[in-house]
Amino acid sequence: MSLGRRSASAKRGLLAGAALMVFCGAAQAQEAARAAPPSPDGLAPGQLYMEADLVIRDDKNKITTAKGEVEVRYQGRTLHAQELIYDEAKGLIRARGDTSIINADGSVQYADEIVLDDEMKAGVATGFSSRLQQNVKMAAASAVHRSDTVNELNRAIYTPCDICAPDTKAAKSPTWSIKADKVVQDKQRQLVYYRNAVIQVKGVPLIYLPIFWHPDPQAERKSGLMPPEISFSDRRGVSYEQPYLFVLSPSADLTLSPQINTKVNPLLNGKLRKRFYSGGLEARFGYTYDDDIGAPQGQSGDETSRSYILASGAFAINDKWRWGFTAERTSDDLLFDKYDIGGVYEARGPYVADDRRLISQVYTIREDQRSYFSAAAFTIQGLRPDDNDRTFPIVAPLIESRWEAEPDVMGGRLRVRASAVALTRDQSPLNAPPQRLDGLDSARATGEVDWRTTFVTKAGIVVSPYVQARVDAYSIDDNLQGMVSNGSRSDSLMRGLGVAGADVSYPFFRRYKSFTAVLEPVVQVALSPDVKQVVLGYDASGAPVYFNEDSLAFEFDETNLFRPNKFPGYDLYEDGLRANVGGRASILWDDGRRASLLIGRSLRTEDNDVFSAASGLRSQSSDWIVAASAEPVRGLSVFTRARLDSEDFDIARAEAGANVNSKWGFGYVRYLRDRSSPVATDPNGRVENFDLGGEVYLTKNWSLTAYGNRDLQADAWVVRDIGVAYRDECLRLDVYYRREDAIGNRLGATESVGFRLTLATLGEPIYGN
């Protein structure tokens, strides 16, 4: 027999992966000292390091006993205990007294006593708990480590919630927990099984389940139930939607979400996601068998299949080329409204349709530092009341490219652009439905050269001269504009366009004690020869009807005030002699606050009827453009932009908004007024609305949520909801009330109440205050 204080290394393993108990008070102090993963100890694979106050070796009985602050390190794990006994004859290892294990991933395990075999094949622990990743705690009266992949816990409890009060460190009931007679952790299947499980909230039993399972918290992805959506509305009645995630492979999963309703037929929603070595795809879809979805008066027609698809994919061919697609279609214009399907009108590709319209596209893009090329084709489905899909064009192909020369040419940047597009319509929007006349077809090809340079004079004046030259070729078929019979005509033409000018600015800087002020007057002069606009025909008053496919949504504001050609597309072009004038002022505080103001307008030598009367650009003196933004305090930003009538300063268009984010919550508000808009609900083309939303933290755990969108012209709320939310480190519960008024071709006014419960480790992540 020998005794003394020593360190030892051997090739035998002494640790197991059993779960151990987490205690408040003293145990928390021990955890703080030990939870950090051990530093690299330089041990070779299979080697063991042991240190203790006293090590006794009984050579006759082959028993080694270590006592007093025992520490053992092996394969990235560290064992602490007050006593460790190794019986080599029986092949048993016993650790006692304040036993803990720190694993390489940072998880901590505790027990009163652990007994293991010397090959680490099996082990038993009593009075144990474990703190795993994601703040998960598991505790039990006893645990059995049956293999490297299976752990069994008896009379156990599971919770990701705090079990110690943050201030007093006293024990408290977790927000929710699962108690069970037996819990089995199967690491190979990445599941945790429960027998005779009871789900508790604040220590109160709510649900009893003879058999229950959920994904292992350490599993990255696992098939299983996801948080449900429950709501009550006068449109669908009681609605329950239960998603279930199927993990098909490490790179693919499928979520099926049947929606069960008491007033309408069920709807099956689904989402498929798949990753490839070069990219990925995502497809949302839905199906139901129901009546025709009619107007507010109710349903009509026979039951038949109803469905939708919202899919997209993006893939890299190599480091410069990529391609992708979107597929967006629905069988009914009001399907999304009837079943309250969200996230419909989102950008899934480079080309985006307007609100309440779907776009299906295929595209390819090549891009490097000095060149860009794209080719695409797409179609559009309209869901607005007056939309006729046969009048929407099929766009195929749409080609855009640019190339920038290197080095600079004549001291400036030279850029070459080329583009082409072909539009094909099935039906013309100009004729009455019985006629079904062919729609306007067109094709365009464009080549453009753009040169620009910048220099600064000794006086500090910044001058940027530029020259642009362009050639367009058009072919137009089935042109019905101005025709009095069913006949149509075809035209083809070429035109040359160009502009030359310069941007001139004279910025003034002044430094004050705590901020810098900048004042910058700006003038842009542009000269273009008269442009041969593409004229389709003439209206009843004799005014020309210009061909315009790509500038229908044009709006004059600060973003295009200093553009030589203000039209965003190619079909219309600004000509003549004009000057865009304005001034910018900015204040930049040293602490990050800022404020800016822009005022300007466009002046020309003669009127230009290519611009619409409502654009504010037709007369020699355009409307005034005003734009301002500021961040007066941390967490608050405000902005406003407006177009004021050139004669009486009446507001032609105004937009304003604010964003706030602080420890008490976050929110935003937006206001829009436009006296002439093609999408207005007012017969005179006026738009006026505002929307607001946010969340206010009432206490650490409780908050109030709100959202509203009001159409001031229709004097109705498009949608409004208010809700209450509770959240802590392991749970979030949202309860909300929503009302939608009848705007346009909606399904009539509706009210609903819904709630959503999310539990940490059993659904989406929880983020506390």
Side-chain angles (χ1 to χ4, degrees):
M1 178 181 295
S2 60
L3 54 92
R5 179 179 178 87
R6 65 175 64 177
S7 300
S9 63
K11 292 188 177 181
R12 290 188 180 273
L14 297 180
L15 307 181
L20 308 172
M21 189 167 201
V22 177
F23 297 98
C24 299
Q28 274 199 334
Q30 293 171 358
E31 177 189 339
R34 301 171 179 173
S39 59
D41 49 27
L43 295 178
Q47 283 190 329
L48 176 144
Y49 173 86
M50 182 175 70
E51 182 175 324
D53 292 341
L54 180 66
V55 177
I56 304 173
R57 171 67 180 174
D58 186 343
D59 294 327
K60 180 179 179 180
N61 297 313
K62 296 185 177 180
I63 296 176
T64 302
T65 303
K67 295 184 177 182
E69 301 297 332
V70 180
E71 177 179 327
V72 180
R73 281 180 279 166
Y74 177 72
Q75 292 185 349
R77 294 170 175 167
T78 301
L79 167 69
H80 290 270
Q82 293 303 312
E83 183 180 53
L84 187 145
I85 302 172
Y86 173 43
D87 190 329
E88 188 175 348
K90 295 180 180 180
L92 292 178
I93 304 168
R94 186 185 301 271
R96 298 173 178 170
D98 194 20
T99 304
S100 66
I101 297 175
I102 305 173
N103 298 299
D105 61 3
S107 60
V108 186
Q109 301 164 335
Y110 301 88
D112 294 338
E113 183 176 359
I114 302 176
V115 180
L116 308 169
D117 66 1
D118 59 355
E119 294 183 355
M120 296 181 61
K121 297 294 185 181
V124 178
T126 59
F128 71 90
S129 69
S130 175
R131 182 185 294 273
L132 306 176
Q133 295 176 348
Q134 300 186 38
N135 200 33
V136 169
K137 279 80 68 177
M138 298 180 70
S142 63
V144 180
H145 179 66
R146 298 196 178 277
S147 67
D148 290 339
T149 60
V150 176
N151 294 319
E152 182 180 301
L153 288 73
N154 300 296
R155 294 167 55 197
I157 184 171
Y158 168 101
T159 182
C161 308
D162 291 342
I163 59 174
C164 299
D167 299 328
T168 64
K169 304 301 181 183
K172 75 179 187 71
S173 296
T175 304
W176 70 270
S177 61
I178 304 175
K179 294 182 66 175
D181 291 343
K182 180 175 289 188
V183 180
V184 178
Q185 182 186 29
D186 190 331
K187 295 183 178 180
Q188 184 174 1
R189 293 184 173 88
Q190 295 184 324
L191 289 174
V192 178
Y193 299 91
Y194 297 81
R195 180 170 296 178
N196 295 326
V198 178
I199 298 178
Q200 301 180 125
V201 175
K202 290 294 184 180
V204 178
L206 291 185
I207 302 174
Y208 168 76
L209 299 170
I211 299 176
F212 175 68
W213 68 91
H214 63 76
D216 191 321
Q218 296 178 345
E220 293 184 3
R221 294 163 62 246
K222 190 64 181 176
S223 299
L225 295 172
M226 300 177 68
E229 293 275 1
I230 303 175
S231 63
F232 308 87
S233 70
D234 49 11
R235 179 180 297 165
R236 290 177 289 132
V238 180
S239 178
Y240 179 86
E241 184 170 346
Q242 177 60 69
Y244 190 94
L245 173 67
F246 296 90
V247 177
L248 306 178
S249 72
S251 60
D253 59 46
L254 171 66
T255 302
L256 295 181
S257 306
Q259 183 188 105
I260 310 301
N261 311 284
T262 58
K263 287 189 176 182
V264 296
N265 287 354
L267 172 73
L268 177 63
N269 289 299
K271 181 166 70 172
L272 174 67
R273 300 186 300 176
K274 172 66 176 176
R275 292 289 301 177
F276 300 91
Y277 75 95
S278 61
L281 65 84
E282 178 178 308
R284 293 175 56 193
F285 56 88
Y287 174 83
T288 186
Y289 193 80
D290 203 354
D291 294 342
D292 288 341
I293 302 173
Q297 289 75 18
Q299 297 176 325
S300 61
D302 299 328
E303 288 190 345
T304 185
S305 295
R306 312 287 173 185
S307 60
Y308 73 88
I309 184 170
L310 303 168
S312 64
F315 307 90
I317 301 174
N318 53 38
D319 60 342
K320 295 181 181 179
W321 282 92
R322 65 183 188 272
W323 76 278
F325 72 92
T326 67
E328 301 179 356
R329 281 296 183 269
T330 179
S331 60
D332 300 85
D333 292 353
L334 297 172
L335 182 66
F336 300 122
D337 299 287
K338 178 178 180 180
Y339 286 98
D340 194 21
I341 300 170
V344 175
Y345 310 106
E346 296 179 349
R348 297 179 177 87
Y351 302 97
V352 182
D354 294 334
D355 186 40
R356 298 192 65 80
R357 285 175 178 167
L358 304 178
I359 183 170
S360 298
Q361 59 189 293
V362 59
Y363 60 90
T364 183
I365 297 174
R366 183 193 184 279
E367 189 172 14
D368 58 27
Q369 291 185 344
R370 307 197 72 85
S371 65
Y372 174 87
F373 172 85
S374 69
F378 60 82
T379 62
I380 295 174
Q381 179 185 11
L383 307 183
R384 297 177 184 173
D386 299 327
D387 282 344
N388 179 357
D389 293 345
R390 299 183 65 186
T391 65
F392 291 138
I394 298 175
V395 181
L398 172 59
I399 299 174
E400 298 177 294
S401 65
R402 71 172 180 269
W403 171 80
E404 192 169 308
E406 185 182 18
D408 292 345
V409 176
M410 295 185 295
R413 183 263 299 153
L414 177 66
R415 181 174 294 166
V416 179
R417 294 187 181 94
S419 67
V421 63
L423 308 179
T424 305
R425 281 184 175 83
D426 182 43
Q427 181 178 316
S428 172
L430 300 177
N431 57 274
Q435 294 178 287
R436 304 297 185 194
L437 299 180
D438 291 337
L440 180 70
D441 301 334
S442 64
R444 173 189 55 81
T446 296
E448 182 178 5
V449 177
D450 178 3
W451 177 88
R452 176 184 288 267
T453 190
T454 300
F455 60 89
V456 181
T457 68
K458 293 182 179 180
I461 300 175
V462 181
V463 182
S464 299
Y466 61 87
V467 176
Q468 298 174 4
R470 200 176 95 191
V471 176
D472 296 334
Y474 279 91
S475 175
I476 299 175
D477 295 315
D478 297 327
N479 180 13
L480 301 173
Q481 188 69 46
M483 306 301 293
V484 294
S485 65
N486 289 350
S488 63
R489 67 176 188 269
S490 300
D491 299 287
S492 60
L493 62 91
M494 292 189 66
R495 64 178 181 179
L497 309 97
V499 60
D503 296 343
V504 182
S505 64
Y506 194 7
F508 297 90
F509 297 84
R510 175 116 184 224
R511 175 64 188 174
Y512 292 88
K513 182 178 180 180
S514 60
F515 65 89
T516 301
V518 182
L519 181 63
E520 182 182 14
V522 181
V523 176
Q524 181 186 71
V525 179
L527 174 62
S528 301
D530 292 342
V531 171
K532 183 179 181 182
Q533 307 287 353
V534 182
V535 178
L536 298 178
Y538 298 87
D539 61 18
S541 65
V545 177
Y546 296 110
F547 178 75
N548 180 19
E549 296 279 11
D550 52 18
S551 296
L552 295 173
F554 168 67
E555 180 64 45
F556 178 39
D557 57 23
E558 77 279 6
T559 63
N560 51 33
L561 172 62
F562 294 103
R563 288 183 183 174
N565 175 33
K566 292 179 175 56
F567 290 108
Y570 291 87
D571 296 335
L572 300 179
Y573 196 85
E574 185 178 6
D575 57 8
L577 176 62
R578 63 268 189 197
N580 304 312
V581 299
R584 301 188 185 99
S586 302
I587 298 178
L588 306 174
W589 281 271
D590 297 342
D591 57 5
R593 294 178 296 154
R594 64 176 183 83
S596 64
L597 173 67
L598 168 67
I599 300 177
R601 69 188 311 193
S602 182
L603 306 173
R604 64 180 62 255
T605 57
E606 57 185 16
D607 294 348
N608 191 337
D609 65 355
V610 176
F611 293 102
S612 67
S615 67
L617 280 165
R618 174 171 285 191
S619 62
Q620 296 182 31
S621 299
S622 76
D623 288 350
W624 287 93
I625 297 298
V626 179
S629 64
E631 294 181 8
V633 296
R634 186 179 299 275
L636 173 65
S637 63
V638 296
F639 73 90
T640 183
R641 56 176 61 94
R643 179 162 58 88
L644 308 179
D645 188 273
S646 60
E647 297 181 357
D648 55 13
F649 295 98
D650 186 26
I651 298 176
R653 189 179 191 277
E655 184 179 0
N659 301 281
V660 61
N661 194 343
S662 73
K663 63 180 181 180
W664 297 287
F666 63 90
Y668 70 91
V669 61
R670 299 285 187 273
Y671 171 82
L672 173 64
R673 176 183 177 185
D674 194 341
R675 68 183 180 188
S676 180
S677 172
V679 296
T681 56
D682 183 82
N684 297 318
R686 291 190 296 264
V687 167
E688 187 174 9
N689 59 52
F690 78 89
D691 64 332
L692 71 164
E695 182 171 0
V696 178
Y697 306 135
L698 304 177
T699 65
K700 179 181 178 181
N701 301 112
W702 289 93
S703 62
L704 181 68
T705 63
Y707 172 74
N709 186 314
R710 183 169 180 81
D711 189 325
L712 298 177
Q713 287 296 322
D715 194 23
W717 289 92
V718 179
V719 62
R720 51 184 158 168
D721 65 48
I722 186 170
V724 177
Y726 174 86
R727 64 177 180 176
D728 57 22
E729 77 284 351
C730 63
L731 174 148
R732 178 173 177 116
L733 173 64
D734 291 271
V735 181
Y736 62 87
Y737 163 81
R738 173 174 295 176
R739 176 177 174 84
E740 300 178 34
D741 290 340
I743 305 288
N745 194 21
R746 303 181 72 88
L747 288 169
T750 181
E751 294 179 296
S752 63
V753 175
F755 70 88
R756 177 182 176 87
L757 175 65
T758 304
L759 303 178
T761 75
L762 299 186
E764 298 175 356
I766 297 294
Y767 301 97
N769 291 341

